[in-house]
Amino acid sequence: MNDANRAALAALARPAWLATRFELLPIRGMQEAAGALPEGAVVTVTCSPRHGLERTLEASEWLAGAGFRVVPHLAARLVRDRAHLERLLARLAALGVEDVFVVGGDAERPLGDFPHGLALLEAMTVLSTRPERVGVPAYPEGHHNIEAASLQCDLEAKAALADYAVTQLCFEPGPLLAWRDRQQRRGLRLPVHAGIPGVMERKRLLSIALRLGLGHSVRTLQRQGGWMTRLFGPAVYRPDALLRGLRSSLGEGGAGFLGLHIYTFNQIGPTRAWLETLPNSRTAMPTSRA
């Protein structure tokens, strides 16, 4: 057996979760939630105006110390200036962090020199402490505050400075696949992770989706949460149908999706239990190192 065959067999034997990124919120109970994560999992840590960058960094430090591969979110509007950015990146480098996720952030006004994610990306390109990998967000179902044309221009500009993208939370494959096809036709070569929800109470998930201002996916979830479902269907959402719709496009870094990014909202236990029911194959959940 040659090395290539051995590598292929090893990949097939990996648990399905190894290809998955888990997103956590750095709020009370996060450490307990992280206890249900698989050992060595890739964990992204969000950043909000309410808690600030420091909370994200503290959570990242704890998670890195617990043996996880941490991907902190850096919200551009919360970074004051280049000196502040250099200190942030140096702190992450000391932790061994090789991957960060740059977002504009939800702060109403920027605290300093970076009004949006693109500005922060541009500043990072000239710094020796820029992490090995930098991710950016993508919005297949649009953004409630940004026009579609502006979103597209922004993504294309970021693609020249980033290493991968992660889509917003979606509940059905159609918008994700249609968006990926459009990007492919436009020549976007940035690898993309498909953002999907984890397993959680359907009512809670719908509430989150409405707050995020999602489009087609919210209507789908509302249909699924109609009176027939409430009477005869499960109260807990599982992304089985979504994953079935995406399966043929997973593992295709160019034409499809490199892997999955699960928005867990810290509901790790049910999500991991669901993942462990999936086939341990590259078709079900390909390994990725975007």
Side-chain angles (χ1 to χ4, degrees), residues 76-82 84 109-116:
R77 290 181 161 224
L78 299 181
V79 181
R80 293 188 294 275
D81 50 31
R82 175 167 170 164
H84 186 202
R109 295 182 180 83
L111 296 182
D113 298 339
F114 306 108
H116 43 67

Side-chain angles (χ1 to χ4, degrees), residues 40-97:
V42 177
V43 184
T44 71
V45 186
T46 64
C47 182
S48 70
R50 178 181 178 184
H51 298 301
L53 284 164
E54 186 61 30
R55 176 74 68 88
T56 298
L57 293 176
E58 289 174 353
S60 297
E61 288 171 346
W62 185 88
L63 288 162
F68 298 108
R69 292 164 52 197
V70 185
V71 184
H73 286 210
L74 293 183
R77 290 181 161 224
L78 299 181
V79 181
R80 293 188 294 275
D81 50 31
R82 175 167 170 164
H84 186 202
L85 175 60
E86 289 177 335
R87 289 195 298 273
L88 290 171
L89 295 180
R91 185 171 169 182
L92 294 176
L95 288 176
V97 170

Side-chain angles (χ1 to χ4, degrees), residues 194-218:
I196 72 169
V199 176
M200 70 184 69
E201 182 182 311
R202 192 178 298 271
K203 183 183 295 186
R204 181 184 180 195
L205 192 54
L206 179 57
S207 174
I208 291 169
L210 289 170
R211 289 203 307 271
L212 293 175
L214 300 179
H216 294 290
S217 282
V218 168

Side-chain angles (χ1 to χ4, degrees), residues 211-230:
R211 289 203 307 271
L212 293 175
L214 300 179
H216 294 290
S217 282
V218 168
R219 290 189 287 275
T220 295
L221 197 64
Q222 286 174 321
R223 289 196 300 271
Q224 294 173 350
W227 70 271
M228 287 291 287
T229 299
R230 291 197 298 273

Side-chain angles (χ1 to χ4, degrees), residues 11 89-90 101 134 140 186 195 270 278:
L89 295 180
F101 192 68
V134 177
R186 293 181 70 98
L278 302 178

Side-chain angles (χ1 to χ4, degrees), residues 10 16-17 36 47 58 68 81 84 88 122 138 161 164 172 225 248 257 266 269 287:
W17 55 261
C47 182
E58 289 174 353
F68 298 108
D81 50 31
H84 186 202
L88 290 171
E122 290 170 340
L161 304 173
Y164 66 91
E172 60 179 342
S248 63
F257 296 98
N266 293 10
T287 298

Side-chain angles (χ1 to χ4, degrees), residues 146-155:
I146 306 174
E147 294 181 354
S150 296
L151 280 176
Q152 185 64 41
C153 289
D154 189 57
L155 178 61

